[in-house]
Amino acid sequence: MVSFSQTIAFLLPILPLTLATPGNVYVCGANGWGLPCNVLNVGLNNCMELPEPYYSSIGSAGPDPGALCRLFDGSASGTNKCTGSGVAILQNPGNSALYTTSPTSPGYVAKYIQCVACSACT
């Protein structure tokens, strides 16, 4: 009979290791973390245009611990589309209800995302 510790010792080398990385954001196209979902490597202090299928259609989003992220509608003039207060602030574990069909809901208008380091965000 194989013990629990022997099973863990066997599985550890083959299990994928995923470390929390400030600047990574888990996003889903539907509310309640519904598909399609992906991890976006936004990085810190970068203004990133949301890729399809999340551009103006983001239902759930949550950054890894250590970052605070904002969604922006891209209405800022100039080249930096991530200025102002944004349409939503995201902190780990995230927000699972960003999208409605209302033209003012954060998930409906979000086109850009930016993250910053946050030592108090766990």
Side-chain angles (χ1 to χ4, degrees), residues 2 5-6 39 47 53 59 71 74 94 96 116:
V2 177
S5 60
Q6 289 172 316
V39 175
C47 181
L71 295 173
S96 65
V116 295

Side-chain angles (χ1 to χ4, degrees), residues 94-114:
N95 185 328
S96 65
L98 292 167
Y99 188 86
T100 69
T101 55
S102 166
T104 59
S105 78
Y108 188 88
V109 299
K111 296 178 177 84
Y112 294 86
I113 186 168
Q114 184 177 40

Side-chain angles (χ1 to χ4, degrees), residues 2 30 44 47 52 57 61 71-72 80 93 96 100 103 115:
V2 177
L44 297 176
C47 181
E52 291 294 339
S57 186
L71 295 173
F72 295 88
N80 185 0
S96 65
T100 69
C115 299

Side-chain angles (χ1 to χ4, degrees), residues 46-110:
N46 298 320
C47 181
M48 178 181 153
E49 184 175 40
L50 289 169
E52 291 294 339
Y54 310 109
Y55 187 88
S56 290
S57 186
I58 187 165
S60 308
D64 279 354
L68 184 71
C69 303
R70 290 180 191 254
L71 295 173
F72 295 88
D73 62 8
S75 64
S77 61
T79 58
N80 185 0
K81 299 299 182 183
C82 296
T83 59
S85 60
V87 296
I89 298 172
L90 304 171
Q91 182 176 339
N92 185 275
N95 185 328
S96 65
L98 292 167
Y99 188 86
T100 69
T101 55
S102 166
T104 59
S105 78
Y108 188 88
V109 299

